Amino acid sequence: WSVYCGFWCYPYSRVWRDVGDAMSTLKADTIQSTGGGAATLTKQHAAKAFNVFEPDVAATIASLNISTLTDNGAGDFSHAFTSSFSAAKQYTVAGSCGNSAAATTAIEYCKPREEAVILASSLRTSTGYVTATGAAMYDYPNSSFACHGDLA
């Protein structure tokens, strides 16, 4: 017999008995593999880096795994990672920015500037907008991005 998701069951049976709220609290400061190294988490993908920043003043508001933010010009920013990813172009990037005044007339973006700038140690992003009549790179307030992938 074993406990699985709050139910008692015999491993080779399809008979389940509700045991109510029989779960315990697990508290730990460090989780290690049986070999003493870092535990491998399966089917979980947490962001390995993110940056919430104010492009108009080139300031970071909140971040994870970001060591520096560099303003390269209007809507053009470089972000250096504290810990590098395993390889260039081997992680995904998703971003957003917001301007409530243009919310119904423009699509705002925060994205990698181009494929060649998705490096293992840094990322160069552009922020801007697209409307029915044009597009431009722009320092939108409250821009952000998150990166998912494997660190080196």
Side-chain angles (χ1 to χ4, degrees), residues 79-109:
H79 314 265
F81 300 125
T82 305
S83 297
S84 295
F85 281 86
S86 59
K89 303 179 205 170
Q90 296 296 313
Y91 57 94
T92 60
V93 181
S96 67
C97 56
N99 179 358
S100 60
T104 59
T105 60
I107 298 172
E108 296 114 3
Y109 62 84

Side-chain angles (χ1 to χ4, degrees), residues 1-4 7-17 19:
W1 292 86
S2 63
V3 174
Y4 180 74
F7 292 92
W8 282 100
C9 69
Y10 181 70
Y12 305 104
S13 170
R14 292 181 189 232
V15 177
W16 299 84
R17 292 180 181 84
V19 293

Side-chain angles (χ1 to χ4, degrees), residues 15-42:
V15 177
W16 299 84
R17 292 180 181 84
D18 186 356
V19 293
D21 191 18
M23 297 309 231
S24 299
T25 301
L26 173 66
K27 296 181 180 181
D29 293 322
T30 304
I31 304 291
Q32 291 184 333
S33 68
T34 55
T40 301
L41 302 176
T42 58

Side-chain angles (χ1 to χ4, degrees), residues 47-53 66 79 81 85 91-97 108-113 118 123-127 142-149:
K48 301 299 190 306
F50 74 82
N51 199 4
V52 179
F53 62 105
I66 302 292
H79 314 265
F81 300 125
F85 281 86
Y91 57 94
T92 60
V93 181
S96 67
C97 56
E108 296 114 3
Y109 62 84
C110 176
K111 64 177 190 65
R113 186 164 167 84
I118 303 174
L123 173 68
R124 193 164 175 180
T125 60
S126 60
T127 60
N142 195 27
S143 294
S144 62
F145 68 86
C147 300
H148 295 260

Side-chain angles (χ1 to χ4, degrees), residues 114-131:
E114 58 192 45
E115 184 182 5
V117 298
I118 303 174
L119 306 176
S121 60
S122 65
L123 173 68
R124 193 164 175 180
T125 60
S126 60
T127 60
Y129 65 88
V130 178
T131 67

